[in-house]
Amino acid sequence: MTRKRLILMSMLTVAVIAATGCGYNVMQQQEEEVFKAWGDLESALQRRADLIPNLVQTVKGYAKHERETLTAVIEARAKATSVQINPKDLGSAEALQKFQQAQGNLSSALGRLMVVVERYPDLKANEQFRDLMHQLEGTENRINVARTRYNEAVKNFNYSIRSFPYSLTNSILLHLEKKEYFKADEGAKTAPEVKFD
């Protein structure tokens, strides 16, 4: 009986060691980190979207004839907030591309709005406008940090599901898919051109 017990204990010990080294829990934890980082990024993007109507209204009071630019910002915000990604679709390059394009269009529209603002010195001196700009600046910084954290979580997760022995556990048990990185906009490599006519 003691020999059987010893063999059983040895087998149990080997099974526990094998189970803890297979990465089953680690990969699931890392996937949750990706989902959390994505949620943080969405939250920062939502904060920016929430600030835009106040910014547009403030500018509208000063720049009544800049309707085209203001309309473009409003439309870009509406599109950016309507394009959503389910965390389960973070492995889809097409879905993430569509999301990033909508966010890029919003950033571009905001850039054009800032060019308009430069034409109105009284507006830049307005306390409400300055406060909104500080909030928007802080939000843009948060978005950048959230993108970086999301990409770091994706890197760790993608490496994990591809490295041995975790790759075996994933292919046999979990079937987790690679996640897509949040990439720079197509036009991000070119510096914006600001012209004052």
Side-chain angles (χ1 to χ4, degrees):
M1 184 91 162
T2 57
R3 182 179 164 111
K4 267 187 170 179
R5 190 178 210 145
L6 186 60
I7 291 172
L8 184 62
M9 291 297 282
S10 297
M11 287 174 40
L12 186 60
T13 302
V14 168
V16 167
I17 290 171
T20 58
C22 72
Y24 184 86
N25 292 332
V26 171
M27 286 184 285
Q28 291 187 61
Q29 179 185 9
Q30 287 177 335
E31 186 176 43
E32 288 302 316
E33 286 295 322
V34 170
F35 294 154
K36 179 197 174 297
W38 180 254
D40 292 345
L41 176 55
E42 282 186 320
S43 176
L45 292 170
Q46 183 61 52
R47 178 178 161 80
R48 175 175 67 178
D50 291 346
L51 286 171
I52 289 171
N54 294 330
L55 184 63
V56 167
Q57 287 302 318
T58 304
V59 174
K60 214 183 252 187
Y62 282 84
K64 293 188 186 319
H65 62 280
E66 301 287 355
R67 292 268 182 240
E68 185 179 315
T69 302
L70 295 171
T71 302
V73 171
I74 293 165
E75 288 172 359
R77 177 193 178 270
K79 186 168 184 183
T81 57
S82 71
V83 177
Q84 300 293 319
I85 292 185
N86 184 321
K88 302 270 187 231
D89 294 332
L90 291 176
S92 168
E94 184 181 325
L96 199 58
Q97 169 74 28
K98 189 175 178 183
F99 182 83
Q100 284 182 233
Q101 184 177 11
Q103 292 300 323
N105 289 343
L106 178 56
S107 293
S108 176
L110 280 173
R112 288 191 305 274
L113 181 64
M114 293 307 105
V115 171
V116 167
V117 166
E118 289 298 321
R119 296 180 187 150
Y120 298 91
D122 291 347
L123 173 59
K124 289 191 296 183
N126 178 292
E127 188 176 326
Q128 181 184 7
F129 177 77
R130 283 197 326 252
D131 182 47
L132 285 168
M133 288 308 300
H134 287 301
Q135 288 183 47
L136 193 58
E137 248 178 57
T139 299
E140 291 296 332
N141 289 337
R142 287 179 185 154
I143 290 170
N144 190 42
V145 168
R147 283 180 186 146
T148 302
R149 287 181 180 162
Y150 169 76
N151 283 343
E152 185 66 27
V154 167
K155 180 192 80 158
N156 292 336
F157 173 77
N158 287 349
Y159 175 76
S160 179
I161 65 172
R162 293 174 59 206
S163 64
F164 185 81
Y166 293 5
S167 59
L168 288 177
T169 302
N170 188 44
S171 63
I172 295 169
L173 298 174
L174 294 172
H175 310 288
L176 300 173
E177 294 183 15
K178 177 183 169 222
K179 307 300 182 215
E180 291 294 321
Y181 288 99
F182 203 100
K183 298 177 182 101
D185 298 329
E186 286 297 319
K189 295 174 185 160
T190 309
E193 198 174 307
V194 179
K195 295 180 181 175
F196 298 104
D197 298 326

